Amino acid sequence: MIAIAFSGGLGLAAYHAGVYQAFAARGCPLHWLTGSSAGAITAALIAGTKSEERLQRLRAFWNSPPLERSQPKPLLHLYGWMAAVQTRVAGSWGHFKPRFLAADPLRFHSFYDLAPMRDRLLELVDFGRLNSGDLRVCVVATDIRSGEPVIFDSSRMRIEVDHLLASSGFLPEFAPVEIDGQVLGDG
């Protein structure tokens, strides 16, 4: 049995795609994918896509919007900092947007709303394919109340977009997600 485990960390997502690209080029069979946070999303993008379209989907999700490559070398560091500040203030298209006003101003949810990510995942991941059994997928989240890991396994249950968002619920940036009475956050 051959498995790939993708760790969390948004900055690692480009590496995830590169790992999968190198793996796919070898033509080896793949049986199982597991991940947490960004890794769970990468696993879902792979499992929920036809094999010939996987790299394209990974690039479509993680490189959206495409990075500017035209900056002169002496300004790359400054450009990187400015891009980081811009993301903090305005969010990241297709991934998250700032929460300016909460429905209940006395109850804090998170700094950012993952609704854009939900929409992109529903557009790019075929959840029927992901749950078909062709590839086993495990998504890891954390029970916020107990601190215990929670593993969603496609061999035992249907994995949906909320499972991916729960695994990405890195507090305080992103809100936890409630599934079956459990309040879940980043794995």
Side-chain angles (χ1 to χ4, degrees):
M1 179 173 293
I2 298 175
I4 300 177
F6 296 110
S7 64
L10 193 54
L12 293 175
Y15 295 106
H16 294 163
V19 165
Y20 180 74
Q21 182 176 9
F23 178 84
R26 296 189 65 145
C28 297
L30 181 59
H31 305 98
W32 194 352
L33 294 163
T34 186
S36 174
S37 194
I41 293 186
T42 298
L45 287 163
I46 293 168
T49 305
K50 296 177 195 173
S51 60
E52 63 272 12
E53 296 174 5
R54 289 176 177 162
L55 288 173
Q56 174 190 351
R57 292 281 171 95
L58 287 167
R59 288 185 186 116
F61 187 82
W62 292 119
N63 292 333
S64 179
L67 297 174
E68 285 272 336
R69 304 253 187 237
S70 61
Q71 298 301 319
K73 248 191 170 160
L75 298 178
L76 281 177
H77 186 74
L78 176 62
Y79 177 76
W81 274 101
M82 290 174 58
V85 169
Q86 179 182 355
T87 299
R88 280 297 206 187
V89 172
S92 176
W93 183 89
H95 299 118
F96 59 90
K97 63 183 179 184
R99 283 188 200 273
F100 292 111
L101 296 173
D104 179 359
L106 300 177
R107 187 168 175 242
F108 176 77
H109 292 278
S110 64
F111 293 128
Y112 301 101
D113 182 357
L114 288 175
M117 183 179 289
R118 171 186 292 280
D119 294 343
R120 295 277 292 152
L121 290 170
L122 290 171
E123 173 188 327
L124 294 171
V125 176
D126 177 345
F127 284 91
R129 180 179 294 278
L130 184 150
N131 289 292
S132 70
D134 291 343
L135 287 172
R136 184 177 180 185
V137 178
C138 291
V139 171
V140 182
T142 301
D143 184 311
I144 298 296
R145 292 181 183 120
S146 71
E148 294 295 318
V150 177
I151 300 171
F152 300 106
D153 186 338
S154 66
S155 72
R156 296 188 195 116
M157 63 179 299
R158 185 167 174 83
I159 293 177
E160 298 291 347
V161 71
D162 280 346
H163 298 101
L164 303 176
L165 295 177
S167 183
S168 300
F170 187 74
L171 296 167
E173 272 79 12
F174 308 119
V177 176
E178 186 173 336
I179 299 174
D180 297 330
Q182 288 183 293
V183 180
L184 304 168
D186 190 274

